[in-house]
Amino acid sequence: MTERLAPLLTAFDRVAAGDRSIHLEEAGSQDLCSLARGFNEMVDKLYIAERIERAFGQYVSSQVLERILAQHGAVLLTAELRTASVFFADIRGFTHISERLPPPVVVDLLNRYLEQIVPVVDRYHGFLNKFVGDAVVVVFNGPVDQPDHPERATCCAIALQKLLVQLNANGLFAEVGRLEVGVGVATGPMLCGNIGARSRMEYTVIGDTVNIASRMTGHARGGEVWVTEPTARQLPSTIAAVPYEAFKFRGKELAVVPYCVWPPPQPGPL
């Protein structure tokens, strides 16, 4: 009995340390064989579950995955009204790029670009909400609390633009010469949570604040980062925010004043 239990205790220790290759010999009495068989089945199911978790983690953000695991697998992230920051980053001229390059080359180019910017989003703990064609949508203060979300969102957007300058200089996008991205950041109330059918749901954000961020992104020139006035008011003095002339978006009654935070303003002549 002792000879059969000792390997079992050792096997449990190896599983606890992360080893999923361990299997016990199914030998001895009927009860010991059943115990070893049950242990082997447990390890196999644990290995499959961890593979599924890793695969699932490629389709949702780490923040959402952590929330789901904390809820023991439940995916009910109830929609709630939160004050958060969101930005859209959109490649300029991508339609023209898609027209003149073969689809496999376009996909490879886009993947190279996204492969570089995702770590930037992770560094600032942003929630990469979705890819919309050539645009990315990144949220701060949802679903994880981040009191400094306006600054995080703005700094992340600026870091993205700085990185793109380096990537262009290094010739990473030689097929098109260079990529240019416009970014619009907005802060305000938005509905954050799971939206969809019971069989297929997506954690996302909706609301006027999200629409404004999208609209501003469409007006920002390549290489620029625009933020809304609520965002600009909460930025530290180290980030210069230059107001532009107010303009109205289609479908909105009130005009919006965009602030440019990147590139930084150049000093005037003395």
Side-chain angles (χ1 to χ4, degrees):
M1 189 73 171
T2 304
E3 289 177 356
R4 293 298 177 186
L5 287 180
L8 179 62
L9 294 175
T10 301
F12 270 116
D13 289 338
R14 288 178 60 179
V15 170
D19 186 354
R20 303 293 180 259
S21 64
I22 181 69
H23 276 77
L24 292 174
E25 180 187 8
E26 298 178 15
S29 67
Q30 183 176 350
D31 289 339
L32 289 173
C33 283
S34 178
L35 181 63
R37 189 179 307 112
F39 176 86
N40 293 337
E41 291 176 355
M42 178 199 72
V43 173
D44 290 340
K45 290 178 180 178
L46 183 60
Y47 173 71
I48 293 173
E50 289 180 346
R51 287 191 63 184
I52 293 173
E53 179 184 322
R54 287 194 296 270
F56 186 57
Q58 293 181 313
Y59 292 91
V60 301
S61 74
S62 58
Q63 295 95 326
V64 171
L65 183 59
E66 288 170 5
R67 285 280 295 273
I68 292 173
L69 293 176
Q71 295 172 197
H72 306 289
V75 295
L76 183 60
L77 298 175
T78 307
E80 58 180 343
L81 189 65
R82 298 175 68 102
T83 297
S85 295
V86 58
F87 77 64
F88 286 68
D90 184 61
I91 298 176
R92 293 292 170 256
F94 192 75
T95 301
H96 177 65
I97 293 173
S98 301
E99 289 176 346
R100 67 185 186 87
L101 292 178
V105 177
V106 174
V107 171
D108 180 64
L109 180 72
L110 190 57
N111 285 339
R112 262 180 283 143
Y113 161 69
L114 296 174
E115 188 76 30
Q116 295 293 326
I117 68 170
V118 168
V120 176
V121 174
D122 289 342
R123 188 164 72 243
Y124 288 90
H125 300 129
F127 164 49
L128 209 164
N129 178 223
K130 64 181 69 177
F131 301 116
V132 186
D134 62 296
V136 296
V137 186
V138 184
V139 182
F140 295 82
N141 204 40
V144 179
D145 293 336
Q146 296 169 318
D148 59 344
H149 55 92
E151 181 180 354
R152 279 181 183 268
T154 303
C155 289
C156 181
I158 291 174
L160 188 156
Q161 294 289 24
K162 289 181 177 179
L163 174 64
L164 203 53
V165 171
Q166 297 176 357
L167 298 178
N168 284 328
N170 294 337
L172 187 64
F173 314 111
E175 301 93 330
V176 294
R178 58 187 292 107
L179 284 184
E180 292 189 336
V181 172
V183 184
V185 186
T187 299
M190 61 188 75
L191 193 65
C192 308
N194 275 344
I195 296 174
R198 293 194 177 188
S199 60
R200 187 69 175 261
M201 305 193 80
E202 176 187 14
Y203 186 93
T204 189
V205 292
I206 59 175
D208 189 53
T209 302
V210 182
N211 294 336
I212 291 175
S214 176
R215 298 285 187 86
M216 286 209 315
T217 302
H219 286 77
R221 291 178 287 270
E224 291 184 338
V225 176
W226 287 15
V227 304
T228 57
E229 188 172 2
T231 308
R233 286 199 306 263
Q234 301 181 66
L235 295 179
S237 58
T238 53
I239 301 178
V242 179
Y244 282 173
E245 183 178 351
F247 56 87
K248 291 185 65 174
F249 297 123
R250 185 188 308 169
K252 284 192 61 66
E253 295 183 3
L254 300 178
V256 174
V257 178
Y259 288 73
C260 184
V261 296
W262 191 264
Q266 298 298 318
L270 297 177

